[in-house]
Amino acid sequence: MAQKKNSKGQTKKDAKPAGKNGKKAEGSSGSSFFTWFMVLALLGVWTSVAVVWFGLVDYDDVLAKAKEFRYNISEVLQGKLGAYDADGDGDFDVEDAKVLLGRCTDLPHLQKGCVWPSEPAVEEPDVSEEPVMELEAEQEDAEPAEDEEEVDEEVLEEEEEVVETEEAQVEEPVEVAEELEEKESQGEAQTVEVEPEPEADPEAYAEPEVEPEVEPEVEPEVEPEVEPEVEVEPEAEAELEAEVELETEAEPELEVEAEPEAEPSSSSISAKKKKPKLLNKFDKTIKAEIDAAEKLRKKGKVEDAMRAFEALVEKYPGSPRCRYGKAQSEDDLAEKMRSNDILQRAINTYREAAELPGAPADLVKIALKRRAERQQFLGRMRSALATLEKLVQIFPEDTSLKNDLGVGYLLLGDNKSAKKVYEKVLAEAPEDGFAKVHYGFILKSENKIAESIPFLREGLESGDPGTDDGRFYFHLGDALQRVGDDSAYKWYELGHQRGHFASVWQRSLYNVDGLRAQPWWTPKETGYTDLVKTLERNWRTIRDEALAVMDATSGLFLPEDENLREKGEWGQFTLWQQGRKVDKSCQSVPKTCALMERYPEATGCKRGQIKYSVMHPGTHVWPHTGPTNCRLRMHLGLVIPSQGCRIRCTNETRAWEEGKVLIFDDSFEHEVWQEADRYRLIFIVDVWHPELTQYQRKTLSPI
């Protein structure tokens, strides 16, 4: 075939007559071009064969990656090298290369005449006269070339391009694939190195310790701003500036909410609220400067916003809006820096803004409400209460402020004052759902179970802001259970659907998401087998020290005070509370405390206790759940009557044994009966949930 192409490059004029033996005369230009062509062609073919024969390229991988870069290797191999299809299977492959290189092939129809590489190569066959004459006849039929030498060079260049292109098409995807693999490996390394920072518990930021039964949730308030709190992309800054200019020209006090639907109904129009008036007459004259500083704050440039508002306050000391912006910036900076000192500065600045002459009423209300919230956050409940009382005095017609005042009393533990506030609110606004749920909560805490139910139920059914809270579902269900009403589980299910409870059975309110949840545990599942073995080996020592305390004085065993008993007597003697050792108690039981000191998973459990529990005959503990899923509870039997004492967790009931440990998750519903003829004594040890990280154990707030 190569001979055929080479012959085309010769003309009748240049062709020399063959000798008598049929060989062409030496030194012809056609022979020279033919020789160079064969050298280059075979060089390219050999490169391809080497790649295939020695497995230098994973073709599956190359083909897959080549598609991304729009290289069709199949076309390259089958189209460009189709001329070298020696075995007649329609493409160029290893078998074709073997034939062209003179190596033996496994294909039977091509084995004849093959030569192993160690044998001398077969001499190139001579070209006879007959083929030459045929070629000459073909050339006569074809159009004559203007420059025979140029045509011959073009043919050679085309063949060189075929080989070079084939090599480039094979090598280039390999290089690209190597680059991709390098990038992927770098990406994987970066993924491994960057570990997600553990999520900080919001309670860990100087929030006051509040027992779940005392703290109702403060109604979530939307803090009004001069402009809506919207994240602005850099590309949209120009649009934002245009909008700010338009707002400056328009009436700033009235906010018209855009309705994406068709024509708004009359009810939607009446539902529109006025935008708070935060600017007095003077502040309107400097609105552009205020907007510029506020824009920095909303874009998260806290330090820049802080400096901008400080400069404005210095420039315009009588401006309430500038002072309020400074307070907001300090508030943001305190959050960013986790600084209570900066937060206290913000609290003071909120007061200054509200007390400036000419401060708009809306700004006064917003500033003082935020001040009270931040005071509560710092645990300064009495200061917050004073701020709330001042608000109610300034705005006596605002029912929501009275509701907030009631919450302030509850956070102080002053249920009596809170009750009076909510009675006044309900007298003025009988359908106020927020007041109803809180009033029902207070009645239940007074053990007025039946009376609390309608207020809790109606408050939840109202759907008013601040009512959709897990605590109210929790206490309504609990109240219904205590009066024997099975609809309790309907409310538990609704609370679960609303996302307040992990399940109908697991109704704790202070949780860490993702922890393994099951009612009963084995020592092996907890990973605290050493602690369990220590407790069970030393149970008599632990029991004897408890009996000595009981014999000396029963005053150390304090009555259960969480209102969990339907009837009977239940006393507890605490050694560790919220991760803190009770030294006076440990002096009475030194051996027991010495044993426990070895196990930080128990003594360091800030959401649990270590204590003795004695329960006398005739006691029934209501179905209830613990406050958190962050702990597991161990019960070591010390004095267990043979019959009559049992504990149910979810739908499984078990009994204690002396010297044996029961482990359960008390965030699931559980219930206890003591129907024996003598007291039951157990040792309770709370431990961290085994799946909590060390960071979480360190930062979770005590309960």
Side-chain angles (χ1 to χ4, degrees):
M1 185 171 160
Q3 295 170 3
K4 192 173 182 181
K5 287 187 180 180
N6 190 55
S7 299
K8 284 185 179 181
Q10 298 179 8
T11 63
K12 294 176 184 178
K13 178 182 176 180
D14 294 330
K16 293 184 180 180
K20 292 180 181 180
N21 56 2
K23 293 184 180 180
K24 291 193 295 182
E26 295 179 0
S28 70
S29 61
S31 176
S32 174
F33 282 119
F34 173 79
T35 303
W36 279 108
F37 163 71
M38 288 303 298
V39 169
L40 292 171
L42 290 176
L43 179 61
V45 171
W46 173 250
T47 302
S48 302
V49 171
V51 169
V52 176
W53 186 260
F54 296 106
L56 299 180
V57 177
D58 182 353
Y59 272 87
D60 290 336
D61 187 57
V62 171
L63 288 171
K65 292 182 179 179
K67 287 178 183 177
E68 274 185 59
F69 297 90
R70 306 187 179 191
Y71 293 117
N72 193 325
I73 299 300
S74 177
E75 287 182 9
V76 172
L77 295 180
Q78 295 183 21
K80 299 288 186 182
L81 300 180
Y84 302 102
D85 177 20
D87 60 359
D89 61 354
D91 64 352
F92 177 81
D93 55 15
V94 175
E95 300 300 332
D96 301 309
K98 288 179 181 179
V99 173
L100 291 172
L101 295 175
R103 297 184 65 176
C104 283
T105 174
D106 297 329
L107 299 176
H109 69 288
L110 294 175
Q111 286 181 355
K112 184 178 180 181
C114 72
V115 183
W116 294 107
S118 59
E119 297 181 6
V122 178
E123 225 174 88
E124 184 179 346
D126 295 332
V127 181
S128 63
E129 290 182 7
E130 189 172 291
V132 172
M133 297 301 293
E134 291 176 1
L135 290 175
E136 290 173 355
E138 289 176 4
Q139 288 179 355
E140 287 176 356
D141 296 333
E143 292 183 8
E146 294 180 2
D147 190 340
E148 305 298 333
E149 199 169 347
E150 286 180 6
V151 172
D152 206 21
E153 288 175 0
E154 286 173 6
V155 171
L156 181 60
E157 287 172 2
E158 285 177 5
E159 295 300 330
E160 288 175 356
E161 287 173 6
V162 167
V163 177
E164 290 172 1
T165 305
E166 178 240 335
E167 291 175 3
Q169 296 285 3
V170 173
E171 290 175 10
E172 191 168 352
V174 175
E175 293 173 0
V176 171
E178 289 175 354
E179 290 177 7
L180 281 176
E181 289 175 2
E182 185 178 351
K183 289 179 181 178
E184 287 173 1
S185 63
Q186 289 175 357
E188 289 173 2
Q190 291 172 358
T191 305
V192 171
E193 287 172 6
V194 180
E195 294 182 2
E197 187 175 326
E199 183 175 283
D201 190 286
E203 295 179 333
Y205 174 31
E207 191 166 0
E209 297 175 14
V210 182
E211 289 298 326
E213 264 109 17
V214 177
E215 179 196 349
E217 183 166 315
V218 179
E219 178 187 358
E221 296 285 346
V222 178
E223 182 178 344
E225 302 289 348
V226 176
E227 298 170 355
E229 192 82 20
V230 179
E231 285 290 327
V232 181
E233 295 295 330
E235 297 79 20
E237 285 184 11
E239 295 179 13
L240 177 64
E241 289 172 2
E243 289 173 8
V244 170
E245 291 175 6
L246 288 173
E247 287 175 5
T248 306
E249 297 171 3
E251 180 66 31
E253 285 79 15
L254 185 63
E255 179 186 13
V256 180
E257 298 179 359
E259 290 287 337
E261 310 293 335
E263 262 181 61
S265 64
S266 59
S267 60
S268 64
I269 294 173
S270 61
K272 291 176 183 177
K273 297 179 181 179
K274 285 186 178 181
K275 188 174 182 179
K277 298 179 181 179
L278 303 182
L279 302 175
N280 61 17
K281 289 183 179 180
F282 173 75
D283 285 336
K284 288 179 183 179
T285 65
I286 59 170
K287 186 176 185 296
E289 295 177 73
I290 295 172
D291 287 346
E294 185 67 14
K295 184 177 178 181
L296 292 172
R297 191 181 74 83
K298 290 180 178 179
K299 291 177 73 173
K301 299 179 180 180
V302 181
E303 291 84 355
D304 292 342
M306 179 84 159
R307 287 190 288 270
F309 275 113
E310 283 177 342
L312 287 175
V313 168
E314 186 175 351
K315 187 176 179 181
Y316 308 113
S319 165
R321 181 62 185 88
C322 292
R323 189 85 56 168
Y324 177 66
K326 178 173 180 282
Q328 286 182 302
S329 300
E330 290 170 338
D331 201 338
D332 294 342
L333 185 61
E335 188 69 26
K336 180 179 179 180
M337 304 299 295
R338 299 285 182 180
S339 170
N340 291 340
D341 291 337
I342 298 176
L343 184 56
Q344 184 57 51
R345 282 164 47 193
I347 289 171
N348 294 336
T349 309
Y350 280 126
R351 176 183 54 79
E352 293 171 3
E355 292 178 352
L356 279 174
D362 289 346
L363 186 144
V364 172
K365 184 184 294 186
I366 293 168
L368 291 181
K369 281 189 70 171
R370 184 60 177 171
R371 182 172 192 257
E373 290 170 4
R374 305 315 274 160
Q375 287 171 322
Q376 289 171 346
F377 182 81
L378 288 180
R380 295 171 183 172
M381 301 301 173
R382 295 196 180 279
S383 298
L385 190 65
T387 302
L388 291 169
E389 287 173 339
K390 184 175 182 180
L391 271 168
V392 171
Q393 291 172 2
I394 298 172
F395 305 99
E397 304 301 321
D398 193 327
T399 302
S400 68
L401 295 178
K402 293 176 184 175
N403 282 334
D404 291 344
L405 179 61
V407 171
Y409 282 119
L410 286 172
L411 292 176
L412 268 176
D414 188 354
N415 288 17
K416 187 176 180 179
S417 296
K419 186 178 181 181
K420 291 179 180 178
V421 170
Y422 289 120
E423 285 173 345
K424 290 180 180 178
V425 171
L426 290 172
E428 298 170 3
E431 301 305 315
D432 190 298
F434 187 91
K436 282 185 175 181
V437 289
H438 286 84
Y439 189 65
F441 170 84
I442 295 169
L443 291 176
K444 184 173 180 291
S445 68
E446 295 174 345
N447 214 26
K448 297 177 180 178
I449 306 299
E451 293 177 47
S452 71
I453 291 173
F455 288 99
L456 288 166
R457 181 192 288 122
E458 291 171 16
L460 284 171
E461 288 173 344
S462 73
D464 287 351
T467 60
D468 187 20
D469 185 288
R471 278 178 278 262
F472 304 129
Y473 289 95
F474 181 98
H475 287 293
L476 175 57
D478 185 61
L480 291 168
Q481 279 184 302
R482 296 190 184 196
V483 298
D485 190 334
D486 290 339
S487 68
Y489 289 96
K490 166 199 157 187
W491 288 98
Y492 289 148
E493 176 63 32
L494 186 57
H496 167 55
Q497 291 174 3
R498 297 285 184 129
H500 302 306
F501 306 139
S503 70
V504 173
W505 289 115
Q506 190 180 24
R507 303 190 298 272
S508 51
L509 298 175
Y510 299 89
N511 300 322
V512 170
D513 292 337
L515 297 181
R516 180 177 177 179
Q518 61 188 54
W520 294 98
W521 290 66
T522 65
K524 185 177 180 180
E525 287 173 328
T526 68
Y528 301 135
T529 53
D530 188 43
L531 170 58
V532 173
K533 289 177 181 177
T534 297
L535 291 172
E536 292 183 344
R537 279 198 301 262
N538 296 277
W539 75 274
R540 288 186 176 85
T541 300
I542 297 170
R543 177 199 62 188
D544 292 344
E545 285 195 327
L547 292 176
V549 173
M550 288 178 64
D551 291 341
T553 172
S554 60
L556 294 178
F557 279 80
L558 302 176
E560 176 273 326
D561 59 356
E562 297 179 60
N563 193 27
L564 298 176
R565 287 169 291 158
E566 178 190 10
K567 57 182 180 178
E569 296 180 35
W570 179 15
Q572 301 176 359
F573 178 46
T574 303
L575 308 181
W576 268 268
Q577 176 80 24
Q578 296 181 337
R580 293 192 296 266
K581 183 178 180 180
V582 183
D583 292 324
K584 186 175 180 181
S585 297
C586 280
Q587 290 173 4
S588 302
V589 288
K591 294 179 182 178
T592 300
C593 288
L595 287 171
M596 297 310 303
E597 293 278 11
R598 296 161 47 191
Y599 299 100
E601 61 266 31
T603 58
C605 183
K606 295 184 293 182
R607 294 198 162 190
Q609 303 165 312
I610 300 175
K611 60 188 178 183
Y612 291 102
S613 172
V614 61
M615 190 174 289
H616 295 277
T619 301
H620 173 233
V621 178
W622 293 111
H624 65 288
T625 61
T628 179
N629 73 339
C630 295
R631 73 187 187 200
L632 301 179
R633 177 155 283 188
M634 298 184 178
H635 281 188
L636 172 65
L638 300 178
V639 177
I640 308 298
S642 58
Q643 291 182 345
C645 295
R646 63 190 187 278
I647 178 172
R648 174 185 66 83
C649 188
T650 63
N651 53 7
E652 184 177 349
T653 302
R654 298 187 183 184
W656 297 271
E657 296 180 46
E658 292 183 356
K660 297 295 180 182
V661 171
L662 281 178
I663 309 173
F664 67 102
D665 184 339
D666 77 326
S667 65
F668 287 85
E669 180 181 292
H670 53 286
E671 183 177 9
V672 177
W673 297 266
Q674 215 291 38
E675 298 168 344
D677 54 2
R678 62 191 181 109
Y679 66 85
R680 180 226 65 180
L681 178 65
I682 62 173
F683 187 51
I684 298 176
V685 179
D686 290 335
V687 292
W688 285 117
H689 192 291
E691 292 182 354
L692 286 173
T693 65
Q694 289 301 319
Y695 177 85
Q696 289 170 320
R697 298 180 189 197
K698 182 179 178 181
T699 57
L700 284 170
S701 63
I703 292 179

